[in-house]
Amino acid sequence: NMSTDKEQDYFADGIAEDVITDLSKISGLFVIARNTSFQFRGGSLDLQQVGRKLGVRYILEGSVRRASDQVRINAQLIDAATGGHVWAERYDGKLADVFAVQDKVTARIIDALRLQLTSTERQAVASRETEMPIAYDAYLRGNRFYYQFSVQSVQFARRMFQQALQLDRNYALAYCGLANCYSYLYMHHSQSDENLSRAEQYGKKAVDINSSLAAAHAAHG
């Protein structure tokens, strides 16, 4: 997050997580998961050392700057073996264009690595759980607070996921977020029947909306 407002960390994290998710849909790639790769955020890094530690050939490094509804994303693909740049680009746009920018970043990586995608993979990479940037923003805020894993932060996350659903009633990931929140509250706050039933209800709803979404099955489980 290169914004002057550190509260925008949630937005930068969300962009990174979405690119990770998109790349993970491609069978020809071994992609490091969110929780592992996020350990290397910030600070001065020896990218060749990071590459050896993770066992990867390429590293995608980037930054996000957001001011009001303006967004700038810098991204660079680095050969971890040599430390050299494969490509580097800057994308400017409005918040409403954020999905298109994510698609451009993913497409450039696919081109740079000369990957051949199946039609199913192309469709999966191009799919979005919502077409509403405001709902997406509320979901990212919720995700940020959910991962702080405290009762107070999860209760706030729950309100953000509910806000996202008020904007898009078919937003499967927001239902996943609610299911995870109620599961957490059941385990760490109040083992009430209501928390348990709502966790199952929202997890099932996410699966009903998109049965191919891994996060939906994880939340329901």
Side-chain angles (χ1 to χ4, degrees), residues 13-48:
D13 288 355
I15 296 291
E17 186 169 0
D18 278 353
V19 173
I20 289 170
T21 299
D22 284 345
L23 294 175
S24 298
K25 297 173 182 177
I26 302 171
S27 59
L29 290 181
F30 166 70
V31 183
I32 298 300
R34 171 197 190 280
N35 289 349
T36 302
S37 59
F38 274 28
Q39 296 176 24
F40 298 96
R41 287 178 303 176
S44 179
L45 297 174
D46 182 334
L47 295 182
Q48 290 175 280

Side-chain angles (χ1 to χ4, degrees), residues 25-28 110 115-125:
K25 297 173 182 177
I26 302 171
S27 59
I110 292 169
L115 298 171
Q116 297 296 320
L117 273 62
T118 66
S119 59
T120 301
E121 287 173 335
R122 288 190 181 280
Q123 184 177 1
V125 169

